[in-house]
Amino acid sequence: MTQIIQMQPQDEFTGYYLLKECEVKQTNATPAKDYMDIVLCDASGQISAKYWDATQTDKETFFPMGLVKVRGLVQTYRDKLQVKIQRIRIATEEDGVNIADFVRSAPVQAVDLVYAIKQAAAGIGHADIKAIVDFCTAKVEDKLMHYPAAKTHHHAYYAGLAYHMARMLELGEFVCKQRPFLNADLIKAGIILHDIAKPEEMTAQLGIVSDYSVKGKLIGHIALASGWIVEAAIHLGIPLDSEPVLALQHVVLAHHNLGEWGSPVQPQMAEAVALHLIDSLDAKLQMVEDALDTTPESEPWTPMIRGLENKAIYRTNL
Amino acid sequence: MTQIIQMQPQDEFTGYYLLKECEVKQTNATPAKDYMDIVLCDASGQISAKYWDATQTDKETFFPMGLVKVRGLVQTYRDKLQVKIQRIRIATEEDGVNIADFVRSAPVQAVDLVYAIKQAAAGIGHADIKAIVDFCTAKVEDKLMHYPAAKTHHHAYYAGLAYHMARMLELGEFVCKQRPFLNADLIKAGIILHDIAKPEEMTAQLGIVSDYSVKGKLIGHIALASGWIVEAAIHLGIPLDSEPVLALQHVVLAHHNLGEWGSPVQPQMAEAVALHLIDSLDAKLQMVEDALDTTPESEPWTPMIRGLENKAIYRTNL
Amino acid sequence: MTQIIQMQPQDEFTGYYLLKECEVKQTNATPAKDYMDIVLCDASGQISAKYWDATQTDKETFFPMGLVKVRGLVQTYRDKLQVKIQRIRIATEEDGVNIADFVRSAPVQAVDLVYAIKQAAAGIGHADIKAIVDFCTAKVEDKLMHYPAAKTHHHAYYAGLAYHMARMLELGEFVCKQRPFLNADLIKAGIILHDIAKPEEMTAQLGIVSDYSVKGKLIGHIALASGWIVEAAIHLGIPLDSEPVLALQHVVLAHHNLGEWGSPVQPQMAEAVALHLIDSLDAKLQMVEDALDTTPESEPWTPMIRGLENKAIYRTNL
Amino acid sequence: MTQIIQMQPQDEFTGYYLLKECEVKQTNATPAKDYMDIVLCDASGQISAKYWDATQTDKETFFPMGLVKVRGLVQTYRDKLQVKIQRIRIATEEDGVNIADFVRSAPVQAVDLVYAIKQAAAGIGHADIKAIVDFCTAKVEDKLMHYPAAKTHHHAYYAGLAYHMARMLELGEFVCKQRPFLNADLIKAGIILHDIAKPEEMTAQLGIVSDYSVKGKLIGHIALASGWIVEAAIHLGIPLDSEPVLALQHVVLAHHNLGEWGSPVQPQMAEAVALHLIDSLDAKLQMVEDALDTTPESEPWTPMIRGLENKAIYRTNL
Amino acid sequence: MTQIIQMQPQDEFTGYYLLKECEVKQTNATPAKDYMDIVLCDASGQISAKYWDATQTDKETFFPMGLVKVRGLVQTYRDKLQVKIQRIRIATEEDGVNIADFVRSAPVQAVDLVYAIKQAAAGIGHADIKAIVDFCTAKVEDKLMHYPAAKTHHHAYYAGLAYHMARMLELGEFVCKQRPFLNADLIKAGIILHDIAKPEEMTAQLGIVSDYSVKGKLIGHIALASGWIVEAAIHLGIPLDSEPVLALQHVVLAHHNLGEWGSPVQPQMAEAVALHLIDSLDAKLQMVEDALDTTPESEPWTPMIRGLENKAIYRTNL
Amino acid sequence: MTQIIQMQPQDEFTGYYLLKECEVKQTNATPAKDYMDIVLCDASGQISAKYWDATQTDKETFFPMGLVKVRGLVQTYRDKLQVKIQRIRIATEEDGVNIADFVRSAPVQAVDLVYAIKQAAAGIGHADIKAIVDFCTAKVEDKLMHYPAAKTHHHAYYAGLAYHMARMLELGEFVCKQRPFLNADLIKAGIILHDIAKPEEMTAQLGIVSDYSVKGKLIGHIALASGWIVEAAIHLGIPLDSEPVLALQHVVLAHHNLGEWGSPVQPQMAEAVALHLIDSLDAKLQMVEDALDTTPESEPWTPMIRGLENKAIYRTNL
């Protein structure tokens, strides 16, 4: 079966794909004709597709986020590849295909990532900090298994959020070993909590964010998570004025570093500075790694990466 | 008794003043000699003073924020007026002076301002919004009677915070009448809540902020107030996901308008836009009014005002 | 008759509309075919339309800013609604339709707005200020009856400029009552004069700006109005150095507040600060109100508003 | 007679200097003692001076901007040279010294500079442009003989403004020869008019700016000059809407290039772009030349220059 | 033969043009049809063209940067002119057309420009500076005959780089004459070297830049040129620490003036300041001149110019 | 012996210290009296000191960067501690004190740091990269043993540069293990080379930077290091166009990430992105650690840290 990243102009192919987007549009012929404007994806990437000969039944059959079997022809349209769909049908149970195989995923199993996060939480020594972390994690328990970390910016795939947390925990552990003056409990807790409200900020399915929620737009994941810490403290009977509550709120509120990046306060504890830097290092190197992974080997340059000052990355031969 | 704003070079005077700051320093004579570096204030302004002949007893007697009787001589030092203290003693009960008369205050009695705020709160129609407002207001009940709205920026005097709220409520009422599509309950609640956590952000006495609290620096009054709304909702049994809770959190979080001014989200409800503009109009015109009030009539220009792009204001003769 | 804001995909309709834009283009069929690319509007909004079967006579018949009778079908094209015109003709006198009913207008009659502005001007106590205001107003007398306040930014409709001035005068009156230290004459004059040169800066018809004038681009409405004050003073024999002339020039020049927003000097008089804030409050709340008004009730979010940091506004259910 | 730029620590000297600033202050000895804090200058530079033993008569005798005869000792105070005045008296007619010899001046005689400017104006071919230039120049006729171009930024000395204009005219002539598509009349007029209102914006004596005028702060030299062009056109009967009036206003209004540098419109005519660049080149190279001239030869680096991104300039040995 | 700048809607024409871009695309008809999307250019400008009836042979025949003979029809598509190609063939030797006549060129012969640059280099008095200039110039000897100075920004045509250097040398000579304190050798060398590495930064043919090189993106012409100076010094046995090497590196590194414009250090020598200003003046006035030249005389406004704050330029009638 | 960080007001002490700065100044008594303005330091910090009774001999005896024995009294002057020197003499050999014990040093022995760096270099697999690294390192061989990494910003102490490199190498090793797609040779080389030219950019003794060199100001350490790579390649016969040379120049040039931070190109290779992030993480956490280390334990807040958005750091009790 042809993977999307390997499609070449003039290829004819038959295979299963995830119907990621799907909309009825009209040609500007006279009279206008309906067609379906589609985005197909698999674990290797995604591609735009046109289904010119959509019937009325077709229009009522296909909806986003379902698996389909497609026969198509790869063409070039305005410098980009595009599929002309020749045949398409909904995949059935008999086809034996599994939707999870058709979405980009973190390179580590979600279950292992969540396990690693739980282990880290379990290793927090300070009882109040641990309890608050557990309370907040419980609020998004199942979403943690599959949510991406962002819409497009970085770790934008199945279990991307858990992957981001797990890698940051590894890096955080190293940094705490290198610099023992840092409070390792706070670093761990900060890593687990800093993006914990993202699943409430965005609506996602199969690792794909379709939109921001009203709550996500009006409050944002930073103030949401800070509110969860307040909520946890109240439920756990931890005084709101106590140092752990202040410190956890601070590291979460400050993790974007600057006001223009969404943090209402700037890092003013060593652990808040460290959390911001660990987050930034992991997110940005992941952007680079993802961009290189999804750019065909033959291309020396990735597309421009918005989170890296709109720069493209050069693939060295060294 | 000579008011500070009226002091002229070479004046000799005797009077009561508030000892706002007071520190023992040493001259760079050889051998060095101790003296007291003092700031005196009254309701009309403040002035730097030197007490060159401080005895050991003096050094143990005088502390900030007490009333003193002073005989002094007004001199000019580096282009500014400065008092050379000739005699100084602690004011006693027999002197019959009242500390409240020696600090800058809002032009309206604190008790009337708080009454106006309570009336406004009482007039909120939506039960949940009203209950949340009452819960948060109760947290700072007594501080509302005397706290300033800022350290130096605007309304930096006794009951300045309540005065800011009361004036904004008047303006908000006018704007809601002019534009009925605005939700008047949200506007009122937003005005009362937007700076409600300032008394926790700063430490103040007699309308004078001495410092920011640890909580104030690490969390800030914006995220603090947002947390209080969460706390209120939990205590009152109002769902955290309900529209009033989201809306109140949003208007508070967004009231500084931009990230670089401390708001983690930007205004995305009509009432949030309105609240920001009403706040800005009241704060900035008050800066102008205060600057003109504390500049001697004979001066055509006020000092530079930091909150107004560092511009001085010209006093027109029109 | 179907209002444009109410059109739904697949609607067929017949009605009168204003032909706002109208251009002959060519399809990319082979051979290419001419068609007319049209924008229809009424008081509720505007919609793109295609007239695929335009004859040579059609091409010579239809021009922008005339009323037409249209039979059409509503379609969806690239996520937006679009009309496929089936029949179209010029509206005649017998149709009994009035062009003024087909453009967006201020919610108050232009004649009442202009009357309110004249009343305010008449109430200016200072003779020189009043005379200068009258001189400048006279230069745009008839344009004041119908000009918008901007191309798209805010108050972009019939009599929008007069509406902006009238609402600002109401707000200004309130602010002067709340803060008597402000010179009410200057505030009134500033409100009337601050955008008085906009009708020279832009070319508009029926409340729709088609372009900026050469003068508008090279000088701008701010320096133009400042020049009119000079002109007025010369004609009225008021010394150019006198305080009223300086003050009026200043409040007009400074009303955009910052250099990057087009003001060559920043506000340095109390009334200049107030004028900027009153202008800003009225313009921004109007943007919000207009965006909510022109967004179908069923949509919870307006489109992004450029003048509000590119934020969309959420329509609360409270 | 010792020139100020040549003074070295421990030098004793006697000579004539200009008393540029002069203020009575008090030592912080106990009791405090009056002394005079003085700035002396000559054509080579300026130096701070203290007159510790000032008598009551002295205090009533010395005022800024008069010539004095001084005997003094050069000392080092906080890394800077400073004169300890041993004797000082007002210079009398018999001393035969001329105040003009004690101020920094343009390196060309003012009379020659003004002549060059007049010649350039006389060479303007377009009658209306020439007439407007003459009208505006006439308003500051005598100030043109001695005004500096700025308070400290560049050309801050006697006849600095005329020198700036004359050098720009030379450069403008070269540029017009190199690029004949430019309108040489507009370039010449723009050069003469762009800073023509500076003498009204600032108060200066002997090439030294003491302050900005009220008019200078509230209107600024850019909008002032634009107003003068309006005034000229009215007096000369040239229509305000005519191309020369628009063009002249435009090049003046736009000559600071950006809004944040004070231009309400940006250059939109070739000549406006050229004027900005010629102005910038002349002003910035003059800052460099002046900084090198007033830095002792032995110093490899000048002080930091604010107008050049706060950089110091290295004096190359090449 | 119709020049591209003179083409009008509905014109039919036959002539020779340079095929600047040429790509096979597909219509969105069903079934899709191949066509060729082409850009034609001549010395007066360029125009988009469609060749709808391209055969398989055509697709294998036409490639960018060759001369073709075209019969076409001028149409309007989305407000822009576009050619519908009716016939097209490769130009042959018999046609007697010369490719150099079909590209935009500097208004002076390349050979004369290069001669002027060599003359200037020959006039450098300081032996080491001269030798370094010669070494670096030799590296791009032949490219200097035809390279543009930029992709689109300024001087984007045949021999544009040499033209930019030659004009800057004229201006530099004038400035050195006006200000003798400048080191004329450094100014000349700086002008010749500042953009000398541009031919390595970009790939260009016939004055048209097709792309930036890997080296151009990773190092940039500024650091490249600085490296060439190091290389020259090593080859010529000039100590790397010597003043000429430092000074030349500095003026090259600093010529973009600010870090955000690509200079790692800011100008800190008089000649570095001058070089930046001369470069800026020449580049910006050339942008204006080029924009006016390539805008039809009938248009009062040029398109927006990115290098001039996105402003369009008004063509005055004066 | 009293460590400087432990000095309290009124302490009398005798001990050895490093005379870091030492200048003769004059009191403003009449007549003025000479005194010595001194900065003393030891490994724990530094303190300002005054020696009021300096004799002529003293003035000719004491110079910066020598060890002295001091008897003094700790006083408070303008809110800061300051030593009044009662006796002072040059330390002699008999005193048995070692200057290296009196300067702040990296917490690891310089010899061990340099060994670690050499080991890392030795482990580079790619022969050309290794050779270039060795060549550049050899240029600053001995300075690497003691140079600080910056004047005040971070790692501003003895062997601070080597410490910064060694810690970054540890972190780089971890990151390369976590993300095997990164080229570990380039990361190692980038870490060793990125600040390798700092010893030429600054003049330092005992870990204290006294100034920037001319070369440091005019070229900067970034372009200097890029030039050294060119130099190395020429000497080693490695083609300047080869991938290792380009890649090394790129990672060095881009390591400050943004133009406004001094990088002429932005990171466009994965390793360049990684190097910037590793550098930033190490530098910023070190600033925090150093600030906490040099702030007395009793203080909850460090001074403001310029490299961290001017924020102070709170010392948590957790």
Side-chain angles (χ1 to χ4, degrees), chain A residues 168 181-183 186-188 190-191 194 246-258 263 265-280, chain B residues 217-218, chain F residues 281 284-285 288 292 308 311-314 316:
Chain A
M168 282 178 69
F181 82 102
L182 292 168
N183 182 315
L186 260 185
I187 296 282
K188 271 189 234 169
I191 289 171
H194 83 293
L246 290 189
L248 288 177
Q249 280 190 278
H250 177 65
V251 297
V252 165
L253 289 169
H255 86 267
H256 278 194
N257 195 34
L258 296 183
S263 275
V265 285
Q266 279 58 65
Q268 291 163 84
M269 291 176 56
E271 292 76 14
V273 175
L275 177 63
H276 162 63
L277 291 165
I278 291 167
D279 182 25
S280 174
Chain B
K217 288 182 190 169
L218 296 186
Chain F
L281 192 149
K284 290 188 176 172
L285 286 185
V288 173
L292 287 166
L308 293 173
K311 288 291 167 193
I313 294 297
Y314 174 69
T316 178

Side-chain angles (χ1 to χ4, degrees), chain A residues 10 27-28 33 52-53 74-79 84 300-301 314, chain E residues 23-32 77-78 213-214 217-218:
Chain A
Q10 311 310 331
T27 64
N28 41 18
K33 236 190 81 163
W52 299 112
D53 305 308
V74 184
Q75 300 177 318
T76 307
Y77 179 66
R78 295 179 188 264
D79 288 336
K84 183 180 171 190
W301 291 92
Y314 174 69
Chain E
E23 202 177 349
V24 177
K25 292 190 176 165
Q26 290 167 309
T27 63
N28 40 18
T30 323
Y77 179 65
R78 295 180 187 264
S213 64
V214 169
K217 288 181 191 168
L218 296 186

Side-chain angles (χ1 to χ4, degrees), chain C residues 181-255:
Chain C
F181 82 101
L182 293 168
N183 181 314
D185 282 354
L186 260 185
I187 296 281
K188 269 188 233 169
I191 289 172
I192 298 175
L193 296 184
H194 83 292
D195 278 352
I196 197 75
K198 281 216 165 169
E200 298 278 291
E201 190 187 36
M202 314 177 297
T203 311
Q205 214 184 337
L206 291 169
I208 297 162
V209 173
S210 53
D211 210 352
Y212 285 81
S213 64
V214 169
K215 203 195 297 184
K217 288 183 191 168
L218 296 186
I219 318 265
H221 76 276
I222 286 186
L224 276 173
S226 174
W228 290 5
I229 295 168
V230 168
E231 196 186 340
I234 293 173
H235 279 95
L236 297 162
I238 304 170
L240 290 180
D241 273 4
S242 66
E243 189 100 353
V245 175
L246 290 189
L248 287 177
Q249 280 190 277
H250 177 64
V251 297
V252 165
L253 289 169
H255 86 268

Side-chain angles (χ1 to χ4, degrees), chain B residues 23 26 28 30-31 214 217-218, chain F residues 52 75-77 79 301 314:
Chain B
E23 202 176 349
Q26 289 167 308
N28 41 17
T30 322
V214 170
K217 288 182 190 169
L218 296 186
Chain F
W52 300 111
Q75 299 176 317
T76 306
Y77 178 65
D79 287 335
W301 292 92
Y314 174 69

Side-chain angles (χ1 to χ4, degrees), chain D residues 168-178 187 191 278:
Chain D
M168 283 178 68
L169 284 166
E170 291 167 19
L171 182 53
E173 196 187 340
F174 174 83
V175 170
C176 287
K177 223 176 293 165
Q178 209 188 25
I187 296 281
I191 290 170
I278 291 166

